[in-house]
């Protein structure tokens, strides 16, 4: 039994410092969700496989962790699997509890999910998702709330971000006025590469994907649009109304522009510090989003998107509840962690939980110190008495490794005088206090 | 696909109100753990089966949830299982990370565990444990900290509890001076029933379990002890030193009494509001505890123990790190939840997250209200604008079902006057405020 134990690949232990940092991220996000009136929800780690299968495509089905049945059914095929994301359990919850829920239902959920992906740098088999969704309303005020949430979260976390917004209906409109309504995905995949490969290569790719030169010319008209968001929307409206080279009209495209215009109107009225831009090349979740599409990138740190989402018109239909439109976004906790670490944005002192260590000189001194320790903890100060009367070197090392900033070495002499010595380990400053003078002690160690 | 979805038996969804209550319990417990300098730790939901198997007895092995291998290994026996408790992952963590840890290592962990138990009332297949342990010191100050933690947690939760303390070494001593050193478990199991079946029945059971009348007489001497804790310890010491009817001496028993005496000395010095008593019939975890044994019961609510633990001398030995003594306790979150609910000790207003709902009268009024809503949220007030300009009845119902205490119905008239109306839905009081007068609005809705 003496082989050194380990954990399954793709999983992680989180130490005190990592926990403190992760809790900082989660509690910041939670506090924002709370001020927007979203309800926290938790669902079980295990769901019935019938709930999970077929929701994530063939590849997703393969990546589900299946749980062996227990007892008599052990040899039968598994009936349960581990949660793969928070969206399907949310849809399942909404349908299962529809009679208890007050719609529009605004919920958030912060829980781990499990995927049997090949582990690699930055990709884990167990990781947390932070999802926030509003379901049961088609109002653009729901989109606005998500924009405001992004703005507030990253303002509190002190990270400069760029929020990109697209709209699936506008992409549909683009394909329609280009005369290729069934090529939305081809067109989007191609223009998604504009930044990387340039306009000529994008046009080449569209040609390879079967678009005619006329169609490509229409798309080029849209891609060439510049100016403010309002100007872009107005120009796109002109093109969707029949003003493009094709002369074709797209009702769906105009509906998408209405949505974008309404949303940007709300954003302007609400006041947002975050830079927000329309980005027609934003193609995430193209298969299920039906309206707004969001993506957030850190401006000062090279990493993929740290937050994203969109509107879906039929999330719960697969569980038998049709016509439920919803919109949601998901914060990528692991990437946000890397951004805060890389930009040194974590608040100082997050890792250390103990403020003051009382060295253990002998039993009588400990008895003398105990009431003070009790009182300090009651005042919210995290403090410890070293449990054993070990050599001071060992006790010092403990304080050092736990990054405890204040140390008290108070033995029989101090006890006899009714005093405690406290030393600021960073500055070296040391002071003696009457044991009952809590206020002075508090102001010294704070 | 239209069958109504469900979740696996023995698992639960937690709604907003349940989450708020559970978070209240967890955050109270966490805040106490933090002030005592314990580090939070999280371990993966999945552990290697080699880590888990053989640690919980044959019955426990059967109750482990096993996870099918993925990919090519799918047909091979499972290699991973879900966490069954927090103790074994803690031991695994300590051994795996021993070179990074500063001992004594004080950690806490609040995470779900999974057991394939037959589900029944109050017993779930997924439930949270809250464990706090100190490992690497034999000092009774560690036991004291746990006593203080119990005292502080239940004082903050406003629950009257009784903390019972026993010591495995004293039980060993009892068996030794009775002349039956190998019958510790038999003796303890019998006296565990004292409250329920009375002294005569306990004596009968001991006889059935093979104890002689002389041995039973010795045990009766101990059970008959009364008086203060100090008096009980002194009397037990007399008996363990050869003063019992058998005249036998138990070194182990005296060591156990030394531990109890030291612990109660610390408790007296530290100042504890909780009632603490020695209870020799406390037999939990008899197979692995080697020193102190703890159990906490709610005094005003009929339910089993809500917290328990003890000292174990060789937790990490099974993973190849010998001589690590530790002591820990575990808070039973589900039972504490039931106690707080039954005694109505949850703070008021925990369930509702939104303080103020702005009815949606029309688009222009919403645009007028948006800056105020942004500012209120920035001040930490949870508020919402109803997303659709629905009938007021529907918007009222939403406020009602979400238990939102304040409602603003401000339309074009108010917007033109630069005012907002806010109504206290409980008292009926309604007031109009200039939209910029944040302070007055805050004081009205707080």
């Amino acid at each position: 039994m003496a082989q050194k134990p380990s954990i399954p690949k793709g999983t992680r232990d989180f130490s005190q410092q990592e926990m403190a940092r992760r809790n900082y991220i989660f509690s910041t996000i939670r506090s924002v969700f709370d001020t927007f009136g979203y309800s926290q929800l938790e669902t079980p780690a295990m769901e019935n496989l019938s709930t999970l299968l077929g929701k994530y495509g063939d590849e997703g089905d393969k990546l589900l962790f299946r749980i062996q049945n227990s007892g008599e059914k052990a040899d039968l095929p598994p009936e349960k699997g581990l949660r793969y994301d928070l969206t399907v359990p949310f849809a399942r919850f909404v349908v299962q509890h529809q009679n208890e829920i007050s719609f529009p239902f605004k919920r958030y959920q912060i829980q781990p999910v499990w995927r049997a992906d090949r582990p690699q740098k930055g990709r884990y088999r167990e990781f947390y998702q932070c999802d926030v969704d509003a379901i049961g309303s088609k109002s653009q005020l729901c989109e606005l709330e998500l924009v405001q949430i992004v703005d507030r979260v990253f303002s509190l976390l002190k990270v400069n971000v760029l929020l990109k917004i697209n709209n699936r209906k506008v992409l549909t409109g683009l394909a329609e006025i280009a005369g290729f309504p069934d090529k939305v995905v081809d067109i989007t995949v191609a223009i998604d590469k504009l930044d990387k490969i340039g306009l000529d290569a994008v046009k080449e790719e569209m040609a390879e994907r079967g678009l005619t030169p006329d169609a490509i010319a229409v798309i080029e008209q849209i891609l060439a649009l510049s100016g403010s968001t309002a100007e872009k929307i107005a120009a796109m409206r002109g093109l969707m109304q029949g003003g493009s080279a094709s002369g074709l009209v797209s009702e769906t495209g105009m509906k998408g522009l209405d949505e974008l215009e309404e949303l940007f109107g709300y954003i302007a009225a609400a006041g947002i510090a975050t830079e927000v831009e329309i980005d027609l090349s934003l193609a995430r979740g193209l298969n299920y989003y039906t309206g707004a599409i969001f993506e957030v990138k850190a401006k000062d740190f090279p990493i993929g998107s740290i937050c994203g989402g969109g509107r879906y018109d039929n999330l719960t239909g697969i569980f038998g509840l049709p016509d439920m439109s919803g919109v949601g976004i998901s914060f990528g906790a692991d990437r946000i962690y890397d951004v805060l670490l890389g930009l040194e944005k974590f608040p100082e002192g997050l890792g250390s939980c103990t403020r003051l260590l009382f060295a253990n000189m002998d039993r009588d001194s400990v008895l003398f110190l105990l009431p003070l320790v009790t009182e300090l903890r009651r005042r919210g100060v995290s403090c410890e008495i070293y449990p054993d009367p070990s050599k001071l070197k060992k006790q010092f090392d403990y304080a050092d490794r736990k990054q405890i900033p204040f140390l008290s070495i108070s033995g029989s002499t101090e006890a006899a005088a009714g005093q405690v010595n406290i030393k600021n380990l960073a500055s070296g400053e040391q002071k003696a206090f009457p044991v009952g003078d809590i206020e002075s002690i508090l102001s010294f160690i704070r």
Side-chain angles (χ1 to χ4, degrees), chain A:
Chain A
M1 279 312 296
Q3 92 273 23
K4 194 159 178 186
S6 62
I7 50 177
K9 61 181 178 177
T11 70
R12 292 167 288 177
D13 285 323
F14 294 114
S15 68
Q16 159 72 12
Q17 183 159 63
E18 290 161 320
M19 283 306 301
R21 288 175 179 157
R22 290 170 63 84
N23 285 338
Y24 168 70
I25 294 171
F26 291 137
S27 67
T28 301
I29 290 175
R30 260 180 63 176
S31 72
V32 174
F33 292 168
D34 285 337
T35 60
F36 281 77
Y38 288 75
S39 304
Q40 190 177 9
L41 177 70
E42 282 191 7
T43 61
M46 297 186 242
E47 293 275 354
N48 292 321
L49 274 180
S50 59
T51 299
L52 301 174
L53 285 171
K55 310 302 187 299
Y56 308 106
D58 290 347
E59 191 55 27
D61 283 355
K62 278 187 209 145
L63 299 183
L64 288 173
F65 278 111
R66 291 161 162 83
I67 295 165
Q68 269 199 350
N69 299 323
S70 48
E72 297 152 13
K73 291 169 147 188
D75 294 331
L76 297 177
E79 295 172 348
K80 294 182 289 290
L82 291 179
R83 188 169 54 217
Y84 182 87
D85 72 357
L86 301 178
T87 306
V88 166
F90 171 52
R92 191 266 310 148
F93 179 93
V94 168
V95 177
Q96 188 177 337
H97 301 272
Q98 54 187 284
N99 297 325
E100 306 140 45
I101 291 174
S102 138
F103 291 99
F105 181 48
K106 297 164 64 173
R107 87 86 175 78
Y108 70 91
Q109 194 167 347
I110 302 177
Q111 288 192 278
V113 301
W114 295 270
R115 298 181 184 181
D117 258 321
R118 184 178 296 276
Q120 48 181 273
K121 186 171 163 12
R123 182 181 295 176
Y124 304 100
R125 293 185 146 189
E126 173 181 62
F127 58 96
Y128 271 73
Q129 292 194 331
C130 310
D131 279 22
V132 57
D133 291 80
I135 192 165
S137 165
K138 293 182 176 169
S139 167
Q140 289 295 312
L141 282 173
C142 301
E143 273 81 351
L144 172 70
E145 282 194 349
L146 299 183
V147 169
Q148 291 176 300
I149 284 172
V150 165
D151 178 58
R152 186 76 183 137
V153 163
F154 291 107
S155 146
L156 288 171
L157 294 178
K158 300 183 175 61
V159 176
N160 285 321
V161 297
L162 170 64
L163 170 58
K164 296 182 185 184
I165 300 183
N166 198 359
N167 190 295
R168 168 63 201 236
K169 296 188 183 80
V170 174
L171 295 177
T172 301
L174 191 56
E176 286 180 2
I177 62 169
F180 286 86
D182 55 344
K183 289 222 183 280
V184 182
V185 173
D186 287 288
I187 295 169
T188 313
V189 166
I191 63 180
D192 183 33
K193 298 178 185 162
L194 190 60
D195 280 352
K196 278 177 229 142
I197 61 177
L199 183 62
D200 287 343
V202 167
K203 287 163 70 177
E204 213 165 289
E205 176 159 344
M206 286 193 284
E208 281 162 20
R209 288 171 176 269
L211 270 76
T212 59
D214 283 354
I216 294 172
V218 169
I219 292 162
E220 201 179 342
Q221 270 189 291
I222 297 251
L223 294 183
L225 294 177
S226 62
S228 68
T229 301
E231 287 163 355
K232 274 187 189 168
I233 292 174
M236 282 192 275
R237 194 180 293 281
L239 297 172
M240 298 280 178
Q241 278 170 335
S244 79
S246 74
L248 291 167
V249 172
S250 170
E251 294 295 332
T252 303
M254 283 189 279
K255 178 79 178 60
L257 292 170
D258 289 344
E259 291 177 6
L260 280 178
E261 190 167 11
E262 187 175 359
L263 175 55
F264 276 92
Y266 287 141
I267 291 173
I272 297 289
T274 299
E275 185 183 343
V276 185
E277 67 172 35
I278 293 181
D279 182 349
L280 292 181
S281 71
L282 185 58
R284 60 179 297 139
L286 208 58
N287 292 324
Y288 43 96
Y289 291 139
T290 53
I293 304 175
F294 300 110
E295 187 170 271
V296 178
K297 294 212 167 194
K299 289 169 82 166
D300 308 319
F301 195 78
I303 202 166
S305 88
I306 55 179
C307 180
R311 178 171 286 274
Y312 39 82
D313 272 347
N314 197 13
L315 182 67
T316 56
I318 200 153
F319 295 120
L321 184 66
D323 301 325
M324 271 286 169
S325 185
V327 58
I329 50 171
S330 182
F331 287 82
D334 286 306
R335 283 193 177 166
I336 293 172
Y337 185 103
D338 289 344
V339 170
L340 294 184
L341 200 61
L343 297 175
E344 298 183 0
K345 296 288 188 182
F346 283 113
E348 274 187 46
L350 264 188
S352 105
C353 66
T354 302
R355 192 82 192 144
L356 170 59
L357 177 70
F358 291 91
N360 187 324
M361 307 305 286
D362 54 53
R363 187 164 186 279
D364 285 342
S365 312
V366 166
L367 289 170
F368 165 72
L369 292 169
L370 278 173
L372 170 62
V373 174
T374 299
E375 184 56 27
L376 287 172
R377 286 178 182 146
R378 190 164 290 151
R379 303 288 192 102
V381 177
S382 174
C383 52
E384 306 179 47
I385 302 180
Y386 193 84
D388 298 285
S390 310
K391 283 185 181 156
L392 274 181
K393 167 81 170 70
K394 194 173 172 189
Q395 303 193 41
F396 269 125
D397 283 351
Y398 178 83
D400 191 44
R401 291 190 68 169
K402 274 189 95 164
Q403 298 181 290
I404 301 174
F406 291 89
L407 178 68
S408 167
I409 303 181
S410 306
S412 49
T413 314
E414 287 77 14
Q419 289 197 325
V420 283
N421 282 326
I422 302 179
K423 185 172 182 176
N424 179 329
L425 291 175
S427 71
E429 188 189 1
Q430 180 162 330
K431 271 182 122 169
F433 301 89
V435 71
D437 188 2
I438 300 283
E439 297 305 331
S440 300
I441 293 172
L442 286 176
S443 70
F444 186 68
I445 65 176
R446 261 174 188 157

